[in-house]
Amino acid sequence: MVLAMTACGTDPKSVDYFGMSYSDIQDNMEQTVSALVSFSDEDIQSGAEYYDSNGMDAFAHLLTSWGETVSDLGSYQGLGDLTVTKAQKTVTADQVLHFSDRDVVVSYVYEYNYETEAPELTDASADLVYSLGEKMEKAGMNTLMGMGTVFVVLILISLIIYCFRFISVIQNKAAGKGKKNEAEAGAVVEQIGQREEQLTDDLELVAVISAAVAACTG
């Protein structure tokens, strides 16, 4: 806590950012912003393609995000606050830009390169600045969507588990139908046997009567 309080009290303009000063970062941001504001849509597209083809991913990402962000923000009003933070081997610079409809923040991320022993720009982007109410509204919507998705999945799982009882009922009906067919087949076989026994008894009776008639008539 003591170290944190000490860091909070440090003047960012007096910090050494791996060989860069606060004024150096401020000058870079101002030059970048002045160039971005003067670019047309065609310049942004062609510049992004140029930086991308030459392996300068940070500037390509900056131009792409800038074109997507400032398309409907009105006229440019001027620069806002510049915030520079240093964490271990990373330096982040956030420059606020005022537009007539909404503010935009241009961010630079520097990382210390051990080979060159100097900071290297690894990422750059332009993002909209949202108010606290808008952030809370967005967070609430994300929470509702997440919880809604969970409950929908739970309801589907409950319905699937509920349907398992119908599977057992269908299996029992199929088993009962098979037993019924076996019983009917057994009954048919038994009736055939009884008919054969009856036929055998009639032949014996005919033979006895025939023998008696023959004896009486000689």
Side-chain angles (χ1 to χ4, degrees), residues 74-192:
S75 59
Y76 174 64
Q77 303 295 322
L79 291 174
D81 296 332
L82 173 63
T83 304
V84 182
T85 57
K86 180 181 179 181
Q88 295 182 354
K89 299 299 180 181
T90 304
V91 175
T92 304
D94 297 325
Q95 175 65 64
V96 177
L97 283 68
H98 297 302
F99 283 82
S100 58
D101 296 336
R102 185 187 292 275
D103 293 343
V104 177
V105 57
V106 175
S107 300
Y108 270 13
V109 178
Y110 297 92
E111 290 186 4
Y112 183 76
N113 192 331
Y114 290 95
E115 295 180 357
T116 61
E117 297 183 352
E120 179 181 357
L121 182 64
T122 57
D123 191 19
S125 62
D127 302 298
L128 297 174
V129 177
Y130 295 97
S131 62
L132 180 60
E134 292 173 336
K135 292 179 180 178
M136 294 296 294
E137 181 180 358
K138 188 176 181 180
M141 291 298 297
N142 292 334
T143 303
L144 290 177
M145 289 181 62
M147 295 179 63
T149 303
V150 171
F151 279 106
V152 168
V153 172
L154 290 176
I155 292 172
L156 290 176
I157 293 173
S158 300
L159 292 175
I160 292 172
I161 295 174
Y162 178 78
C163 291
F164 283 164
R165 64 176 64 186
F166 297 106
I167 297 175
S168 61
V169 171
I170 294 172
Q171 290 178 347
N172 292 332
K173 286 184 178 179
K177 186 176 180 181
K179 292 180 179 179
K180 183 178 180 181
N181 293 334
E182 292 178 358
E184 291 178 353
V188 171
V189 171
E190 184 177 358
Q191 291 178 0
I192 294 173

